[in-house]
Amino acid sequence: MKKIPRKPPTDDQAWKEDKQKIPETKLPAALNEKMQMLQPHLKKGADIITRPFFLQGEPPLEAVAIYLNKVIDDETLNQDILRPLMINCREESIQDLGAQNLMDAIYKTSITASQISKTNTFASLVQTIFDGMTVLLFDGLEEVLVLDIHGGPFRAIDAPPAEQTMRGSREGFIERLDINIALVRRRLRDPNLVVEKTLVGRRTRTQVAILYIDDIADPNIVRTLKDRVNQMDLDGIVASGYIEQFIEDSPTSIFSQVFITERPDKLVALLLEGRVAIIADNTPLSFAVPALFVQFLQAPEDYYEKTFFSSYIRILRYISLLIAISLPALYIALLTYQPELIPYDLLISFSRARANVPFPVIVEALIMEIIIQMVIEAGLRLPQQIGQTVGVVSGIILGQAAISAKLASPIVILIISISIICTYALPSASMVLTTRLLRLPIMLLAATFGLFGIAFGWIVVQAHLIGLESMGVPYFAPLAPMRLADLKDTFIRTFWKKMNQRPVSIPMQDRKRQGNDGKEPQQP
Amino acid sequence: MRRKMLFAALMIILIIGISGCWDYRDINSTAFPQLGAYDLHEESNTALGNLPPEEQQIDLTVVIPTVSPELESKFLISKTSGLLIASARGQKPYSLPGEYSAGVASNIVFSEALAATGLNKVSDALSRGALNPHTENYSIAEGRAETILRVPIKDYPSMGDYLRMLIRSSNKRTFMPATTLHQFEVDQNPGKNPVMPLLTIKDEKVMFGGAAIFNKDKMIGKADLNETQYLVMLRGIESVGNLPFIISKEDQMSDMGSVNVNNKRKVKVERNGDSFTFTITISLAGNLAEHSSGVLFTEDPKLHTEIEDQIASNVTEGCNKFIEKMQEEYKVDCIDISKYALAKWRKELQPKIDEGFIENVDIKVDVKVKLQNVGGES
Amino acid sequence: MKDKAGSTITTKQLIFIIVGSQVGIRFLYLPREVSKIASEDAWLAVFLAALAPVIIIFLIDRLSKRMPDMGFTQMSQTLFGKFLGSSLIVLFVAYVIAFESIIVRIFSEVTKLYLLPKTPLTVVLFMYVFNIVYIGSKGARVIGRLNELLFYLLLANFLVLLIPLGAADYTNLLPVGTAGWDGIARGTLAAIHFYAGIEILLVFYSLVNRKDELLKAGMIATAITTALYVSIVVICELVFGVNGMQGQMFPALILLKVVQIPVIERLEFIFLFFWLGMGARPAINMGFAASLSLTQLLKIDEKKYLPYVLMFVGLAIFIIALLPQDILSVFKLSNYAGYAFYVIGIAYPLIFYVTALARGEKVKQNA
């Protein structure tokens, strides 16, 4: 086979012309001229359908409908656009209809589709075709009509897979941006909810919506966010994850500075707290800024249940965060550097359990840790039918086999499993990933310096967290700049009547959110 | 640029870390002694070491539990000799594999003879070691401490386990003092002296045989089990124990039984010129464990007070006898009352509190017994 | 708190910074040193010694009211002229670096003694210095927040120290006044050393956003420090007795070894976990103060060059900390540093204030 050169033929004229931008020329009036201009672009897409037709009436007006196959709703096209134009329109004269010109007459009286706009430049014509709109080109009219009748099959609204809840709505976002926005609007009917759309990505031209409540959110944050999104200049984005990494304050940090959620009810709660949200088309996720560390340890059910249950579970979560990060490291440090700190009976039983294991503790722990991480990754990729089986098999049998082969002591398997379970007890996927990663360096530090190493690692992590900012808001508030008012929603969740102010850790305009100020309503 | 420097610093740490874990010791191969016995040196061929004879003064014998489950014996005993404790430990690597971790031994037994020459010099190694807790229990053995260690034991995994459980909360189960390293050190302060439990071997079993009386760090006497009871009550060590009683009327025994009581004390000191009077009030409170006469308490209310009085008089008599012995024979304050005098007149008394003070003071004992409960039967 | 100007701290954070700079590793041997001189009345001596920082705060507050917007360097140069002012600053920075080195060295020694006996001193020192440089390079706001967080951890740690009170003997404290006025006075002088750390207020006050609350903040901070110090002295006296303490290097640490609690048999376990944060705090604060002064002295942009200056300061600390041969000479050096505290801590604010008064009107016009 002929070898395909790696470098593109840079002096190939045709290739260069191809890379030109689409010119912004005005459209000519004649239909066949317009079609001629469009021809090279229409050639590239076999799924672009051109449907010429005549408008009803004398003299017959030629028109062409251009659209992408299956991206639009065929039913609407046929019933609301083609049928009225071809069969029903132009029975009265223009003046009778009260329109200024023919174009107005056509689209304001004849076409019964709902979202219509006009355009008259070539570039926008081409772009709108590829954006999935239907364009109507008329002979003798310079302007073309652009109709948004998106349709085509899409996934039904389903329970969000990663954020299950026992008590609360089971709707999750899907890939269609408009439906996602509708889900939010259904829950938040405030007229002050602002939805702004922009396009991101030169080639993908993905629609991205920015939502915030006008009189609560801080205008600085909104402005910063919009600036950063508009500064994104790249080929395309496939998922909102790309946007996150561009707008984060410190993309090098392992802690995520935006809060991702798949659920509209959670998003509405975040908007009510004064945050700004972004939803991207084709991604069933949305994210909100500014994010605080303590958010990643809160789950929506906390607010639906009673105070005592929620507070208990929250405290459990904090403990499990600590355990998830430090337990294996603690085990390593205690067993190899400071065995004197372990109670004596435990010490002897640990010694006996490790009697025949040939590896040092650190190697043992690292091996088990890496094996478990691989099992988790494999579980993610396996098809559903064998996913369950492999999970059970690897968990139980691997563990048993390792113990019998004397490659690991039962204690280390127990410890690693407990820390993995604690990792997955955290409600937010970003925090789970962070914890999985953070465990390793702390284990290595513990293996080198013992308890001192763990303390050192923790101080570095803490210093990093305290210095982190999300859109300029300190990340570790309300713990580091200690905001006492917010502490009632951090480790515990106090009664709803007492949470009458929005979080003070986030800058915003309007703090009050309850009318009764936390007191009982007056008796009549 | 800053990032790069940070990265470089992290790399340095990593390289340092990997290049040497200096303090790494694996728990498999570490020897954790449970019980240590310190003796004066005695010529024998079971002591291992390479020091010249004049540097062998102390014998250190330890009990180390074994970790490998396939072994039949659950422990091994290792004996070395050296100048003092740490040098004896330093001889261990010649015959004992693995790291020796001295910081976990929970019991130390000293021999009488060694105690008589002063324990501070051997306790120094234990308190100087940074990893040792100061809660190790000290006790004295009658005879050589090594023999205690080597008494064969069938009911417990090792002598170390047995002694650990025996001594650890001895003062919560009966009237026996329990001394830790911390207590021993604190008791070297002016006006105080330590006491330690005494271990003897009877019928091939190791058991408590009383208490050892100290003058600062030298042992000067022994008290038997009976006297130890009164010592504990006078010294104010809060314990729980069982006291028997016999009530006789007109030379005939009318009732006998025993009570379980816990003790507390209060001390008051008064001064009259150069003479001091201490009043020790001992309160015993508890319940009746048993009695033999079968007389019901609901019918005979006086029986209650009779029992209380009998016990009070028993205890008072025993305490007074002990105080006499202390002032005449031992001549040291082993009941820890001088501190109350120091609390009031420290500047004056501190220089001479340890010489000639306790034998010239007047000590009065007052015992109050309260039986709060007579049990389920009436 | 959203402003990214970088260098403002709140009053509350100032309190924690001051407390953090004073209470560090040295409180471990505070009881021993003071009770050597003042015997049972050591706690009284420590309490009375709190007068010194109060005076210093007062002086600094007055000083800052006269020249509210100037940094320490600027002020010194304005008051004393460029040459003398700069050399005063250099002396100050040298003092801070030397003090820090001593603290870091003591800290490393204790770590080596209790946690990592065989690890070479250089490695342990490096880890501390790395911490100082890394945290200091994040700016004053992060230092303020970190001090806040670590303060609460310090309180939790302190509660652990209360557990040995079960073995306390109250007669060890009595009678009051044994040492006599002479003993108490000398004890107070010795105790003043341990309040060193307050002089960095000279550098930090220009970073506070509400300068009128400086006095209040300083008072609260001194009160907290005094409370902590007095309690530790009292607890140590109660548990060990004055004579018992003399036999131990670090009584406050041995405190944790004397009792056992049911599950976690060894109390040090909890304490050592929070060890590093506690001990590193004075060094972090001082390192930052020194670097800030240096940047102002050399008139270079703070934001860009602070990390580099910090690295230089860190290197200096590292080298100086390696100089003493053993722990006893470190204690001697720390005594000298205590004397230096008299000069820098007390004399500096005094001289500055007097000069500011003397040049009264002229300075106000320049400000």
Side-chain angles (χ1 to χ4, degrees):
Chain A
M1 268 182 66
K2 183 162 165 260
K3 180 174 158 206
I4 302 175
R6 275 203 315 155
K7 290 207 179 139
T10 44
D11 44 358
D12 190 317
Q13 196 58 24
W15 189 84
K16 261 207 197 137
E17 265 169 20
D18 238 333
K19 292 280 167 195
Q20 304 267 348
K21 259 182 66 172
I22 307 169
E24 287 259 350
T25 53
K26 287 244 179 236
L27 291 167
L31 185 62
N32 41 9
E33 281 176 35
K34 284 194 255 200
M35 292 303 293
Q36 239 176 346
M37 283 173 80
L38 272 178
Q39 200 51 28
H41 294 277
L42 294 181
K43 221 173 27 179
K44 288 190 205 161
D47 58 336
I48 304 181
I49 301 186
T50 31
R51 204 304 190 185
F53 60 96
F54 286 104
L55 268 63
Q56 195 238 20
E58 293 297 322
L61 185 62
E62 201 180 339
V64 171
I66 307 182
Y67 58 90
L68 285 172
N69 193 15
K70 289 300 175 214
V71 175
I72 61 145
D73 190 9
D74 288 325
E75 185 72 26
T76 318
L77 179 70
N78 298 339
Q79 297 294 338
D80 295 331
I81 299 175
L82 292 179
R83 173 183 287 269
L85 285 178
M86 286 164 70
I87 298 181
N88 297 334
C89 86
R90 279 226 300 170
E91 296 216 333
E92 300 91 2
S93 72
I94 301 170
Q95 284 74 13
D96 286 348
L97 296 170
Q100 307 306 92
N101 57 16
L102 189 56
M103 177 58 81
D104 274 350
I106 293 177
Y107 84 87
K108 284 192 182 157
T109 61
S110 311
I111 299 181
T112 49
S114 45
Q115 299 181 59
I116 306 184
S117 62
K118 294 188 284 191
T119 182
N120 56 5
T121 56
F122 184 61
S124 66
L125 171 65
V126 175
Q127 282 167 349
T128 47
I129 293 179
F130 284 98
D131 275 348
M133 315 282 185
T134 311
V135 293
L136 294 178
L137 303 151
F138 297 100
D139 194 9
L141 292 173
E142 281 172 358
E143 294 168 323
V144 299
L145 284 180
V146 177
L147 299 107
D148 185 358
I149 46 172
H150 272 101
F154 51 85
R155 193 162 64 96
I157 294 185
D158 203 0
E163 291 176 40
Q164 307 275 5
T165 172
M166 283 193 300
R167 181 163 148 170
S169 105
R170 303 224 168 93
E171 286 183 340
F173 286 130
I174 59 168
E175 283 78 0
R176 289 281 302 271
L177 179 63
D178 298 322
I179 299 188
N180 288 343
I181 297 181
L183 286 175
V184 175
R185 280 272 189 209
R186 275 196 232 174
R187 289 171 170 80
L188 184 58
R189 302 184 185 177
D190 191 351
N192 287 315
L193 174 63
V194 174
V195 177
E196 295 179 4
K197 284 194 188 177
T198 56
L199 287 176
V200 173
R202 256 193 267 146
R203 290 182 188 269
T204 61
R205 296 172 55 80
T206 313
Q207 270 197 334
V208 165
I210 301 182
L211 295 93
Y212 58 95
I213 301 187
D214 203 9
D215 57 346
I216 302 179
D218 186 60
N220 288 329
I221 296 185
V222 175
R223 201 180 26 241
T224 318
L225 185 62
K226 283 202 273 201
D227 286 342
R228 288 193 192 170
V229 171
N230 290 334
Q231 275 169 11
M232 282 175 65
D233 184 16
L234 66 164
D235 261 2
I237 67 168
V238 176
S240 65
Y242 289 56
I243 305 183
E244 282 168 43
Q245 292 171 54
F246 271 89
I247 64 172
E248 270 186 343
D249 280 33
S250 322
T252 49
S253 162
I254 56 174
F255 291 94
S256 169
Q257 288 133 53
V258 302
F259 186 74
I260 304 176
T261 176
E262 289 183 324
R263 301 164 51 103
D265 54 351
K266 186 103 175 92
L267 191 64
V268 166
L270 293 173
L271 286 173
L272 281 173
E273 282 184 349
R275 298 180 216 257
V276 184
I278 289 189
I279 313 180
D281 200 10
N282 292 324
T283 309
L285 301 172
S286 63
F287 62 87
V289 290
L292 299 175
F293 180 76
V294 296
Q295 261 185 286
F296 294 92
L297 292 164
Q298 293 170 347
E301 283 100 59
D302 289 354
Y303 298 93
Y304 307 155
E305 302 280 356
K306 279 179 180 287
T307 300
F308 298 108
F309 307 142
S310 315
S311 308
Y312 169 61
I313 304 266
R314 278 228 178 131
I315 296 179
L316 270 185
R317 279 197 209 120
Y318 278 94
I319 296 179
S320 65
L321 180 69
L322 287 176
I323 294 182
I325 299 183
S326 327
L327 192 63
L330 215 64
Y331 172 75
I332 296 176
L334 283 181
L335 249 64
T336 51
Y337 284 84
Q338 264 94 36
E340 291 87 10
L341 291 182
I342 309 177
Y344 192 73
D345 297 313
L346 215 54
L347 185 63
I348 299 294
S349 85
F350 279 169
S351 294
R352 295 215 165 109
R354 271 190 53 80
N356 293 324
V357 176
F359 305 125
V361 179
I362 169 69
V363 174
E364 193 189 1
L366 266 182
I367 290 180
M368 289 316 298
E369 167 80 16
I370 296 202
I371 290 181
I372 295 257
Q373 298 287 356
M374 290 195 213
V375 166
I376 294 176
E377 276 301 310
L380 278 179
R381 314 273 165 231
L382 284 171
Q384 275 207 332
Q385 295 90 336
I386 54 177
Q388 297 267 31
T389 325
V390 171
V392 169
V393 163
S394 57
I396 300 182
I397 298 189
L398 256 186
Q400 265 316 108
I403 296 179
S404 319
K406 303 229 193 292
L407 288 175
S409 62
I411 302 173
V412 81
I413 295 188
L414 188 66
I415 286 188
I416 301 271
S417 327
I418 292 180
S419 39
I420 295 281
I421 292 178
C422 285
T423 313
Y424 282 95
L426 299 174
S428 158
S430 345
M431 195 48 73
V432 166
L433 287 173
T434 307
T435 317
R436 271 167 74 185
L437 182 59
L438 202 52
R439 242 214 300 267
L440 274 181
I442 301 220
M443 270 167 77
L444 288 175
L445 274 174
T448 319
F449 293 108
L451 264 187
F452 177 64
I454 300 183
F456 179 75
W458 268 103
I459 283 271
V460 171
V461 166
Q462 260 181 338
H464 176 76
L465 274 176
I466 293 181
L468 208 54
E469 289 185 344
S470 167
M471 295 284 149
V473 175
Y475 190 68
F476 214 55
L479 292 175
M482 178 77 70
R483 310 283 160 85
L484 283 173
D486 274 350
L487 278 182
K488 51 184 198 266
D489 199 14
T490 311
F491 294 111
I492 56 169
R493 198 219 92 211
T494 47
F495 304 95
W496 258 112
K497 294 222 185 90
K498 299 251 180 283
M499 307 216 282
N500 53 347
Q501 298 240 325
R502 296 188 231 273
V504 299
S505 310
I506 305 168
M508 62 178 74
Q509 304 172 38
D510 176 18
R511 290 269 166 210
K512 269 185 59 156
R513 63 175 162 191
Q514 281 188 31
N516 287 329
D517 271 349
K519 300 197 259 289
E520 295 293 328
Q522 302 287 350
Q523 297 290 352
Chain B
M1 191 54 199
R2 198 183 116 213
R3 296 265 161 73
K4 288 213 196 100
M5 293 220 161
L6 199 64
F7 185 65
L10 278 173
M11 278 287 116
I12 295 181
I13 292 188
L14 225 61
I15 294 176
I16 292 176
I18 297 177
S19 67
C21 310
W22 294 268
D23 273 291
Y24 185 86
R25 20 178 192 150
D26 210 328
I27 201 176
N28 293 15
S29 54
T30 314
F32 296 110
Q34 262 179 328
L35 178 63
Y38 298 1
D39 289 304
L40 284 178
H41 181 63
E42 160 193 271
E43 278 303 323
S44 78
N45 49 6
T46 52
L48 306 162
N50 68 340
L51 295 174
E54 62 269 13
E55 289 191 13
Q56 292 185 352
Q57 297 194 8
I58 308 278
D59 281 347
L60 173 65
T61 321
V62 291
V63 173
I64 302 173
T66 53
V67 288
S68 198
E70 295 128 13
L71 293 177
E72 197 187 286
S73 108
K74 293 277 188 182
F75 61 91
L76 67 92
I77 296 187
S78 152
K79 171 177 172 183
T80 49
S81 61
L83 197 54
L84 283 177
I85 299 300
S87 70
R89 273 191 214 141
Q91 302 295 315
K92 290 242 182 287
Y94 293 113
S95 55
L96 190 67
E99 287 264 347
Y100 185 82
S101 165
V104 291
S106 48
N107 274 299
I108 313 277
V109 182
F110 302 101
S111 69
E112 269 186 282
L114 180 59
T117 63
L119 283 181
N120 264 343
K121 57 182 191 284
V122 290
S123 174
D124 192 64
L126 286 166
S127 93
R128 195 173 288 268
L131 297 168
N132 301 346
H134 285 208
T135 51
E136 288 139 339
N137 286 55
Y138 282 1
S139 28
I140 306 283
E142 266 186 358
R144 270 184 77 80
E146 203 184 324
T147 36
I148 303 252
L149 237 64
R150 291 191 194 267
V151 168
I153 183 154
K154 305 181 292 297
D155 317 314
Y156 284 85
S158 70
M159 179 58 72
D161 286 314
Y162 171 69
L163 274 183
R164 195 158 62 95
M165 291 193 263
L166 185 68
I167 298 181
R168 160 118 336 149
S169 38
S170 56
N171 70 326
K172 294 277 184 301
R173 292 179 285 130
T174 182
F175 296 110
M176 179 65 63
T179 312
T180 58
L181 183 136
H182 167 73
Q183 197 63 44
F184 177 73
E185 284 191 349
V186 165
D187 284 340
Q188 308 290 319
N189 282 343
K192 293 193 191 201
N193 297 293
V195 292
M196 288 192 204
L198 196 63
L199 294 172
T200 59
I201 308 179
K202 261 202 196 71
D203 298 329
E204 298 195 28
K205 256 177 91 64
V206 176
M207 56 173 65
F208 283 125
I213 314 283
F214 276 76
N215 181 358
K216 289 292 179 252
D217 69 325
K218 293 190 181 33
M219 175 169 154
I220 52 173
K222 291 192 266 210
D224 62 29
L225 282 175
N226 209 9
E227 289 172 338
T228 312
Q229 272 183 340
Y230 303 121
L231 168 63
V232 167
M233 289 190 213
L234 284 170
R235 201 178 156 97
I237 302 178
E238 302 195 354
S239 347
V240 179
N242 183 289
L243 290 174
F245 64 87
I246 302 179
I247 305 183
S248 20
K249 293 203 181 101
E250 295 113 26
D251 281 337
Q252 252 205 334
M253 187 205 69
S254 70
D255 196 6
M256 65 178 182
S258 64
V259 295
N260 289 331
V261 287
N262 51 13
N263 64 318
K264 281 207 233 301
R265 78 160 183 188
K266 264 203 195 348
V267 177
K268 271 207 280 284
V269 57
E270 276 141 17
R271 180 180 187 167
N272 207 340
D274 252 349
S275 75
F276 298 84
T277 317
F278 288 91
T279 317
I280 307 182
T281 315
I282 299 182
S283 333
L284 299 173
N287 45 13
L288 180 73
E290 61 194 345
H291 78 119
S292 68
S293 68
V295 176
L296 295 175
F297 282 90
T298 41
E299 286 178 14
D300 186 0
K302 281 198 306 216
L303 188 55
H304 200 171
T305 28
E306 277 178 24
I307 296 181
E308 286 178 356
D309 290 337
Q310 179 67 36
I311 296 191
S313 77
N314 283 354
V315 173
T316 318
E317 201 185 312
C319 287
N320 280 332
K321 264 213 285 246
F322 183 78
I323 290 177
E324 226 179 276
K325 190 169 181 191
M326 175 182 88
Q327 285 183 309
E328 269 150 49
E329 204 179 306
Y330 301 137
K331 294 207 202 331
V332 291
D333 177 10
C334 50
I335 56 176
D336 204 21
I337 51 175
S338 318
K339 64 183 187 188
Y340 293 102
L342 278 180
K344 292 200 183 161
W345 305 286
R346 190 179 292 265
K347 209 157 173 186
E348 189 194 325
L349 292 177
Q350 185 138 320
K352 40 191 190 47
I353 193 88
D354 288 320
E355 343 245 307
F357 178 73
I358 195 73
E359 46 265 33
N360 299 329
V361 300
D362 204 12
I363 307 181
K364 293 209 226 326
V365 178
D366 187 20
V367 181
K368 295 198 204 330
V369 182
K370 183 106 198 71
L371 282 184
Q372 288 156 334
N373 215 330
V374 293
E377 246 182 40
S378 63
Chain C
M1 281 305 123
K2 200 170 65 67
D3 67 305
K4 295 183 90 167
S7 292
T8 51
I9 51 183
T10 64
T11 336
K12 208 154 60 145
Q13 288 171 347
L14 186 67
I15 299 180
F16 297 132
I17 289 182
I18 297 179
V19 174
S21 314
Q22 295 179 312
V23 179
I25 179 76
R26 292 151 88 238
F27 98 120
L28 285 188
Y29 61 91
L30 162 71
R32 171 171 57 86
E33 295 255 343
V34 183
S35 66
K36 192 158 61 170
I37 306 179
S39 50
E40 275 78 20
D41 298 318
W43 59 276
L44 201 56
V46 171
F47 185 70
L48 290 177
L51 211 57
V54 166
I55 298 179
I56 298 179
I57 293 174
F58 195 66
L59 285 175
I60 297 183
D61 177 56
R62 287 268 160 256
L63 193 60
S64 80
K65 285 223 172 55
R66 291 211 146 249
M67 317 174 63
D69 287 313
M70 292 203 176
F72 185 42
T73 322
Q74 278 175 299
M75 180 168 47
S76 153
Q77 286 172 339
T78 325
L79 284 179
F80 296 104
K82 227 160 165 270
F83 185 64
L84 191 58
S86 304
S87 37
L88 279 178
I89 297 289
V90 169
L91 199 61
F92 180 75
V93 169
Y95 159 77
V96 168
I97 292 184
F99 211 88
E100 250 187 295
S101 316
I102 295 177
I103 292 182
V104 169
R105 174 63 188 259
I106 296 182
F107 208 59
S108 312
E109 291 281 351
V110 176
T111 308
K112 262 178 68 74
L113 188 61
Y114 284 94
L115 287 177
L116 300 168
K118 298 205 203 87
T119 312
L121 189 64
T122 41
V123 175
V124 182
L125 273 181
F126 177 75
M127 304 208 27
Y128 282 116
V129 173
F130 175 79
N131 249 338
I132 296 175
V133 173
Y134 176 63
I135 299 180
S137 70
K138 286 186 177 290
R141 269 170 54 207
V142 172
I143 289 189
R145 295 179 205 156
L146 188 69
N147 271 291
E148 200 176 339
L149 195 66
L150 287 178
F151 175 74
Y152 295 117
L153 285 182
L154 169 70
L155 277 185
N157 237 355
F158 209 77
L159 289 176
V160 169
L161 281 173
L162 292 178
I163 297 182
L165 275 178
D169 182 4
Y170 75 92
T171 61
N172 282 332
L173 272 183
L174 304 169
V176 180
T178 327
W181 289 116
D182 169 54
I184 296 183
R186 278 185 301 127
T188 311
L189 270 185
I192 291 185
H193 294 188
F194 291 89
Y195 286 96
I198 189 123
E199 63 274 10
I200 65 168
L201 194 56
L202 281 171
V203 178
F204 272 104
Y205 88 82
S206 63
L207 300 174
V208 184
N209 55 2
R210 305 219 8 217
K211 302 219 188 339
D212 48 329
E213 295 194 347
L214 199 66
L215 195 62
K216 194 169 77 158
M219 292 302 186
I220 299 180
T222 313
I224 297 177
T225 313
T226 315
L228 286 175
Y229 277 170
V230 170
S231 347
I232 191 75
V233 173
V234 166
I235 297 177
C236 278
E237 275 192 40
L238 284 176
V239 173
F240 293 111
V242 169
N243 295 68
M245 261 201 278
Q246 303 306 318
Q248 288 159 2
M249 274 292 217
F250 301 108
L253 206 49
I254 309 287
L255 208 53
L256 298 166
K257 288 186 193 276
V258 301
V259 287
Q260 269 187 344
I261 54 176
V263 172
I264 314 174
E265 275 184 16
R266 308 279 292 259
L267 277 181
E268 295 122 271
F269 182 67
I270 310 176
F271 193 79
L272 288 172
F273 205 75
F274 301 108
W275 183 238
L276 183 56
M278 245 187 62
R281 248 178 332 155
I284 295 175
N285 293 346
M286 289 189 171
F288 181 74
S291 312
L292 197 63
S293 307
L294 274 181
T295 53
Q296 287 174 347
L297 188 66
L298 301 173
K299 297 230 189 339
I300 49 183
D301 180 19
E302 178 192 318
K303 305 253 181 351
K304 262 180 64 183
Y305 289 105
L306 189 64
Y308 302 109
V309 177
L310 258 173
M311 274 189 237
F312 165 71
V313 169
L315 195 62
I317 297 176
F318 187 73
I319 295 179
I320 298 182
L322 279 174
L323 285 182
Q325 298 288 1
D326 55 67
I327 185 92
L328 295 171
S329 38
V330 178
F331 278 134
K332 240 193 326 192
L333 279 179
S334 132
N335 264 335
Y336 293 148
Y339 294 131
F341 172 61
Y342 289 140
V343 173
I344 306 258
I346 305 186
Y348 258 49
L350 199 58
I351 300 178
F352 274 54
Y353 184 52
V354 164
T355 322
L357 271 184
R359 298 178 59 153
E361 299 313 314
K362 238 176 27 171
V363 164
K364 278 217 178 123
Q365 279 169 9
N366 283 348

